Amino acid sequence: MKKILIIIFICAVFVSQVAAQQAKKKLYHPEANAQSEIKAAVEKAKNEGKHVFLQIGGNWCVWCLRFNELVTGNDTLKNYIQANYEIVHVNYSKENKNEDVLALLGYPQRFGFPVFVILDGEGNRLHTQNSAYLEEGKGHSTKKVLEFLENWSPKAIDPKSYRK
C-alpha cells in the first residue's frame, strides 16, 4: 500500500510539472480580448514613446513559437523590442480567429502566420509584415528581424531623425 501511494504521489508531481510547462509555453490565448489588449498596449506605447508590435498567430503554429523563441532568446532582439515596442500576441485559431480585430488591421492573415503588424502610439497601422521575408535558411534571420524592427521603430519614422 505504501509503495502504491508513493507511486501515485510521484505520478501526481510529474503530471503537475508537465502541466506547468505546457502552461508556460502557451503564448497565444484564445480567451483573451485582443481588442482590449491592443488598446492597453497603444495607450502604454503612447505614454512611453513606443510603437505596438502585434504578433499574430496561434499556439498551433510552430513558426509563431519559434519566432517568439528567437526574439526572447536573443539579447539584441529582446532589448531592442523592449526599448521600442509594446508586444501583443493576437490569437488566431479555430477557438478564436479574432476576425473583427483582423478586419480592422486590414486582414493580415492573408500573409499566413506568424504575421506582424506595427501600430503607432495612436493605434494607427503603420505596417504589416509577411514573416516569410524575415526568413533565411531554415528559420527567421536575426539580422533581418532586427532590420525590420529598426525600420519601423518610433525613431525611424520620426521626421526629426532626418533633419540636420
Side-chain angles (χ1 to χ4, degrees), residues 2-164:
K2 200 173 191 181
K3 287 182 183 180
I4 292 173
L5 289 174
I6 291 172
I7 291 171
I8 290 172
F9 176 75
I10 291 171
C11 288
V13 169
F14 178 75
V15 168
S16 68
Q17 291 286 341
V18 170
Q21 296 247 337
Q22 289 299 322
K24 285 181 187 177
K25 291 181 182 180
K26 190 174 179 184
L27 184 62
Y28 296 92
H29 300 277
E31 72 284 356
N33 183 328
Q35 191 63 45
S36 294
E37 289 183 352
I38 293 169
K39 184 178 178 182
V42 167
E43 188 174 314
K44 188 172 183 193
K46 181 178 183 175
N47 292 335
E48 296 180 8
K50 296 180 178 182
H51 284 163
V52 177
F53 179 77
L54 303 179
Q55 183 179 329
I56 304 165
N59 294 314
W60 53 267
C61 171
V62 67
W63 289 107
C64 299
L65 302 177
R66 287 180 183 165
F67 180 84
N68 191 69
E69 286 175 17
L70 173 68
V71 297
T72 58
N74 178 296
D75 286 340
T76 301
L77 294 175
K78 180 174 68 176
N79 293 336
Y80 195 83
I81 289 173
Q82 287 175 349
N84 293 281
Y85 295 95
E86 288 301 317
I87 301 172
V88 179
H89 293 93
V90 179
N91 183 76
Y92 183 92
S93 67
K94 63 183 177 184
E95 297 87 9
N96 184 358
K97 293 183 179 180
N98 277 306
E99 291 172 325
D100 293 342
V101 171
L102 297 181
L104 293 171
L105 296 171
Y107 305 98
Q109 67 270 38
R110 69 186 184 275
F111 296 113
F113 299 99
V115 62
F116 313 117
V117 176
I118 305 294
L119 306 176
D120 66 12
E122 300 296 328
N124 300 310
R125 180 169 52 100
L126 300 175
H127 182 68
T128 300
Q129 180 67 45
N130 179 336
S131 68
Y133 297 127
L134 303 178
E135 294 176 9
E136 190 170 73
K138 295 184 179 192
H140 293 98
S141 162
T142 300
K143 181 181 175 191
K144 289 180 180 182
V145 170
L146 182 59
E147 185 176 278
F148 158 64
L149 294 168
E150 289 172 338
N151 286 334
W152 291 100
S153 69
K155 181 181 177 187
I157 65 167
D158 183 355
K160 293 179 220 161
S161 299
Y162 300 98
R163 295 187 186 132
K164 289 186 178 186

